[in-house]
Amino acid sequence: MASPPRLTVFSPLPPERNGIADYAHALLGGLAAHYDRTAACADWLAQAPPGVAVVDPALAHRGFGAEGRVLHQLGNNAGHGFVLRALRMLPGVVTLHDPGLLHLHEVAGEGREAILAGMVSALPGLAERFGRQLRDHGVESRANHLLFDLAGDVLAASRAVVVHSRFARDRLRLAHGAAATAHVAVIPHLLPAREMPERGAARARLGIGEAEFLVVTAGFGTVPKRFDWLIAALALALRRGASLRWIHAGAERPAEFPITARLAEHPALLDRARVTGYLDAAALDDHLAAADVLVNLRFPSSGESSGPVARGLAAGACCIVSDTGAYAELPRDAVLHIPPAATVPLLAEALRALAAAPERARAIGAAGQRFARSEMALPVVARAYAEVIEASRDRPPRAQPPAADQGPPLVLAAWPVPDRAAIAAALASRPGPCRLLLAVPELEALAELSLEMPGLLAALLPPQARLRRVQLQAAPQPGLLLEFAGG
Amino acid sequence: MSATAILAALLRRLAPAPVVLDLGLPAAGIFPRLHVARCGVADAAALPAAERALLVGLRDPLRGLPPFGFDRAADAALLAGAPAAWGEEPGEGRDRLVWLPGPPPAALAPLWQDGAWALLRSGPPGSWPGPERGRIMLLAGSTAAVERFDLMLPIDRLAPVLEALHAAAQALVATGGRWQLGKRVVSARLASLTALLEAPAALPPPLVIPAAALLQDGPPGLEDGALPLAGVARRRLLLGGLPPGPVRITLRLRGVGSVAPVLFLGGLRQTASLLPDPDGTARLGAAVTLEGTAAQVLGLALPQGAAPPGLGLLGVEVAW
């Protein structure tokens, strides 16, 4: 019997406190039926499932062999910087857990030039108007995270891309066009192989009475999870006579949203609420299994999916989600959708009604559980991955980032006064990748120039210039060597 | 004893031994068998991106220089023949030897013009600017596996270097084993030297690499000859080119606390044991099997917070 093909998965893994690390751990286990798996992780001591070796990502390429398959698990936070770098060098299938990657680019040291270049590949006209704020004034607005997904390079460098919802796929398609996203497939979020705890046992471990109506939220306390709306809705439900208890099973991020401080403004709720801090998988499962209701709001949504919702569904909790983004695709009978436009009163009313009739919550939870077991089961998801990976093997990455022009660079004198119009004309004459040397008589002159003109490059380059790299050159001719991507 | 090991042993016995620029990366070159001024690549742009990313992150622990091919300023000094760049004292005037993985690239022309030697596997003659070149064909290895190399050097050096290499080979033969040894002068431009091992006397001696000679991916600097590892979560060390097969790799450490570093080879975790020595140092050793043709990379990982303040790497030993 032939041995299964080798698959290398680049991803964070536990003990990193990261939902994608948990996802990848579960997926690696599920893929055992299809592949001989290796996990490439920045933490060489990370925890992988039995039978999966962890390899230093910087050396993983040496073990690929001719038939090597690669899967990258990419999220929008600093823990995925090594995945972003690897997927550019080692094209494969990429799971985009969050189709917006601007935050990752900001925190992974990608540099402003790379971010501005990525913005150019967004919807026509957006970069010219909104990207200029970052380019000229250094303004990093929250709106940029919705306007610019920075996913263009990832789409181009991948043989196939997996997202968890049609919303995420359509969002990418809207920004990057049908051709650039033809290789995007939708695979639902997965359920870990482990059984969820039994409700009564979980409640006993947590000290929660059988008759208490428990509302749970989970994960990091980020802004889009709308704890402001949730707290207002819980307080309103209490005022309207609901009897309930709320546990946030996750870590607070006070810099993003101060849950504890905001709770203090609602004394009635304060007595019935608790924030646990970060929980390991077993403790989180206990909270999800103990819940009558799992609330997972998201606004604005950039198409992200939620691991806790998948586990909450598996546990049979009644899941209440925002009627937006990927959550809107969950079946109407499997979860309760709350429109973002009037979340507070509608959520308060839903909680009050469910607390008064817990059997209704259990009925919705049972439907959600059936859905999760059929659509999100690990073997189903792993098979879908194998199909995408195998189908992608003959498909080259759509377009590798153009290689730098290694011919002699364009040379323009930048001393004593750089000529902006001449630079624009020179770049217009080279529509493909090119290099431009802003020549100075000696490097000290360049230092002087940069002092005279703060933000030298921003002032000199035309808005459409896609600067990829800047290098100080001492010889053979001193100056600033700029490398541009094709237009 | 591999052909590379024999060549290294011969070159080491020359008086004075040439200083070496090893451009064999990412495949096995002559480092770590010979102390080299620098390791590197002849054409970094031609490397696969992932291999380039691996090598560009490595640094010489003394000067903080990346491998040759990745830092134009440092490379230019070496190409210009600056003694410091070659690790020489001014006026020392030692011969310079470049280990090449293939034909000579044009960028290295200044070296040939300055009379540097080149050692490469036998192949097409290539283009050698500068003084006219002579060739010493070197047949090394074992009688069962003969490997052919060319030593290209200025023609006026051919005869004395051939004699010196032959004398070095005779000294090597005297260390034991049964050898086929010979030299032949065909013309002023062409000669050959044969050093083939018919039957080894014993296992070759262990290879000892001091910390100062290990390229690594941390900040430069040694403390009393040791590479400091305090506060380090992970560190990669370029072990260089070694023939495939089973070996025992031992890292000599000082200042080891209660938690032993975890040893990696080729990015994969190895089962290693930590043995304390009476002098306060400790040996972290593992029996491993070397595979592939690429230069070997060791790794050390410490659980966060587990690296004690005085932890340092003194060197690496490879035993057959």
Side-chain angles (χ1 to χ4, degrees):
Chain A
M1 184 176 159
S3 56
R6 180 160 188 180
L7 173 71
T8 305
V9 180
F10 287 76
S11 179
L13 287 170
E16 183 161 338
R17 295 179 171 188
N18 176 327
I20 296 168
D22 296 338
Y23 177 98
H25 190 277
L27 181 62
L28 277 162
L31 288 169
H34 306 276
Y35 296 109
D36 174 15
R37 303 136 299 146
T38 299
C41 183
D43 177 2
W44 306 349
L45 301 174
Q47 300 156 8
V52 179
V54 177
V55 65
D56 173 3
L59 288 157
H61 63 282
R62 288 186 168 183
F64 280 178
E67 298 295 307
R69 287 126 165 110
V70 184
L71 174 63
H72 301 281
Q73 297 291 312
L74 191 63
N76 190 22
N77 59 56
H80 296 84
F82 79 97
V83 183
L84 183 64
R85 290 186 288 276
L87 71 86
R88 290 170 177 154
M89 297 183 285
L90 303 164
V93 176
V94 177
T95 305
L96 268 180
H97 288 271
D98 184 338
L101 298 173
L102 177 54
H103 179 65
L104 170 62
H105 282 71
E106 288 172 343
V107 298
E110 288 295 298
R112 184 166 295 175
E113 285 75 19
I115 291 174
L116 287 168
M119 285 177 163
V120 172
S121 69
L123 288 171
L126 278 184
E128 194 176 338
R129 177 176 293 267
F130 297 100
R132 187 180 289 276
Q133 303 305 322
L134 174 65
R135 206 193 78 156
D136 296 346
H137 309 296
V139 174
E140 295 176 353
S141 73
R142 192 169 289 169
N144 280 354
H145 291 261
L146 288 173
L147 293 172
F148 303 107
D149 60 23
L150 270 288
D153 267 359
V154 174
L155 289 167
S158 306
R159 296 183 192 281
V161 172
V162 171
V163 294
H164 296 314
S165 67
R166 296 189 303 278
F167 177 90
R169 182 194 59 196
D170 293 347
R171 185 189 143 137
L172 289 169
R173 189 161 291 170
L174 181 67
H176 301 279
T181 54
H183 60 335
V184 177
V186 177
I187 298 179
H189 212 287
L190 61 73
L191 291 180
R194 63 181 180 276
E195 287 292 318
M196 293 299 288
E198 191 271 324
R199 181 176 186 269
R203 286 196 165 218
R205 282 192 287 274
L206 299 175
I208 295 167
E210 185 59 31
E212 287 186 87
F213 190 81
L214 178 63
V215 178
V216 168
T217 52
F220 291 108
T222 57
V223 170
K225 291 180 181 170
R226 303 315 306 230
F227 285 91
D228 51 346
W229 294 351
L230 175 74
I231 288 172
L234 286 164
L236 181 57
L238 288 174
R239 284 201 299 277
R240 290 179 177 172
S243 175
L244 55 79
R245 183 171 171 183
W246 171 43
I247 297 179
H248 176 60
E252 190 174 358
R253 282 183 173 167
E256 286 203 49
F257 187 85
I259 298 175
T260 305
R262 197 62 68 87
L263 268 175
E265 298 168 10
H266 301 273
L269 178 59
L270 187 60
D271 291 343
R272 294 163 177 262
R274 187 162 70 88
V275 178
T276 63
Y278 184 84
L279 297 176
D280 63 22
L284 178 59
D285 282 354
D286 266 351
H287 285 81
L288 295 172
D292 290 295
V293 167
L294 172 69
V295 180
N296 202 304
L297 303 178
R298 202 66 64 112
F299 189 83
S301 169
S302 58
E304 64 276 40
S305 295
S306 166
V309 166
R311 288 152 84 173
L313 288 168
C318 169
C319 293
I320 300 181
V321 297
S322 294
D323 193 5
T324 182
Y327 300 106
E329 295 169 26
L330 294 167
R332 298 279 147 178
D333 61 346
V335 301
L336 209 53
H337 290 94
I338 302 289
T343 294
V344 173
L346 291 172
L347 178 59
E349 181 53 26
L351 291 173
R352 189 204 60 74
L354 291 171
E359 69 279 4
R360 294 173 66 185
R362 282 195 282 277
I364 296 170
Q369 192 176 49
R370 285 193 295 276
F371 164 75
R373 286 178 175 170
S374 64
E375 301 291 324
M376 304 164 90
L378 184 54
V380 175
V381 169
R383 194 178 314 118
Y385 263 101
E387 288 170 5
V388 170
I389 291 167
E390 295 310 307
S392 75
R393 296 199 63 231
D394 296 331
R395 187 166 50 218
R398 288 214 148 256
Q400 289 287 17
D405 173 14
Q406 292 302 318
L410 296 162
V411 180
L412 286 176
W415 177 266
V417 181
D419 184 340
R420 185 174 180 169
I423 292 171
L427 292 176
S429 72
R430 293 268 189 101
C434 70
R435 296 187 299 157
L436 170 64
L437 178 70
L438 296 177
V440 291
E442 51 191 40
L443 289 180
E444 285 75 7
L446 189 61
E448 193 177 308
L449 199 62
S450 64
L451 289 173
E452 283 176 4
M453 297 179 65
L456 180 67
L457 291 181
L460 290 180
L461 298 181
Q464 70 276 15
R466 299 183 62 188
L467 186 63
R468 296 189 71 87
R469 190 171 300 153
V470 181
Q471 198 178 344
L472 201 62
Q473 175 173 299
Q477 190 172 6
L480 207 55
L481 186 61
L482 311 179
E483 185 180 312
F484 295 92
Chain B
M1 199 170 187
S2 67
T4 310
I6 292 171
L7 292 179
L10 298 183
L11 293 168
R12 212 167 33 237
R13 283 174 164 80
L14 296 184
V19 287
V20 176
L21 169 63
D22 180 347
L23 299 184
L25 293 176
I30 205 159
F31 168 80
R33 299 183 175 279
L34 206 59
H35 176 68
V36 298
R38 279 182 78 188
C39 284
V41 295
D43 183 5
L47 289 177
E51 196 65 35
R52 194 165 58 237
L54 168 69
L55 296 176
V56 76
L58 299 174
R59 291 289 179 275
D60 154 7
L62 292 173
R63 295 171 291 178
L65 294 176
F68 183 91
F70 297 98
D71 180 331
R72 290 191 179 179
D75 296 351
L78 197 135
L79 290 172
W86 283 86
E88 294 177 77
E89 296 298 323
E92 194 177 358
R94 289 166 67 186
D95 288 306
R96 292 165 177 175
L97 181 145
V98 183
W99 175 282
L100 285 174
L108 301 185
L111 296 177
W112 320 133
Q113 280 157 351
D114 279 354
W117 309 353
L119 181 57
L120 66 168
R121 290 191 182 271
S122 288
S127 172
W128 303 92
E132 190 181 357
R133 296 260 140 184
R135 175 162 66 146
I136 300 175
M137 296 177 64
L138 299 165
L139 277 62
S142 68
T143 47
V146 180
E147 295 186 52
R148 296 166 182 271
F149 297 83
D150 287 338
L151 178 61
M152 306 296 298
L153 70 178
I155 197 166
D156 61 339
R157 301 298 313 281
L158 186 144
V161 171
L162 178 65
E163 287 308 316
L165 284 172
H166 189 248
Q170 287 175 316
L172 181 62
V173 167
T175 62
R178 199 166 66 242
W179 293 77
Q180 275 187 20
L181 190 64
K183 67 168 178 170
R184 185 177 168 210
V185 177
V186 178
S187 70
R189 292 182 180 78
L190 181 62
S192 70
L193 179 83
T194 301
L196 297 173
L197 188 57
E198 286 182 340
L203 289 174
L207 185 63
V208 178
I209 313 168
L214 288 163
L215 266 73
Q216 48 87 42
D217 66 348
L222 295 175
E223 291 174 1
D224 298 329
L227 190 65
L229 297 173
V232 165
R234 290 173 290 278
R235 183 65 54 88
R236 299 182 185 94
L237 307 159
L238 184 72
L239 195 54
L242 295 167
V247 296
R248 181 163 186 84
I249 292 180
T250 304
L251 279 70
R252 196 158 188 85
L253 299 161
R254 72 168 188 214
V256 179
S258 55
V259 180
V262 181
L263 182 65
F264 289 77
L265 176 68
L268 292 168
R269 186 172 184 157
Q270 306 295 319
T271 303
S273 56
L274 186 71
L275 295 173
D277 281 332
D279 63 357
T281 62
R283 286 168 291 150
L284 181 68
V288 301
T289 300
L290 301 177
E291 295 175 342
T293 57
Q296 304 290 339
V297 178
L298 284 179
L300 279 176
L302 287 135
Q304 292 289 341
L311 183 63
L313 173 69
L314 293 161
V316 178
E317 180 182 295
V318 182
W320 285 267

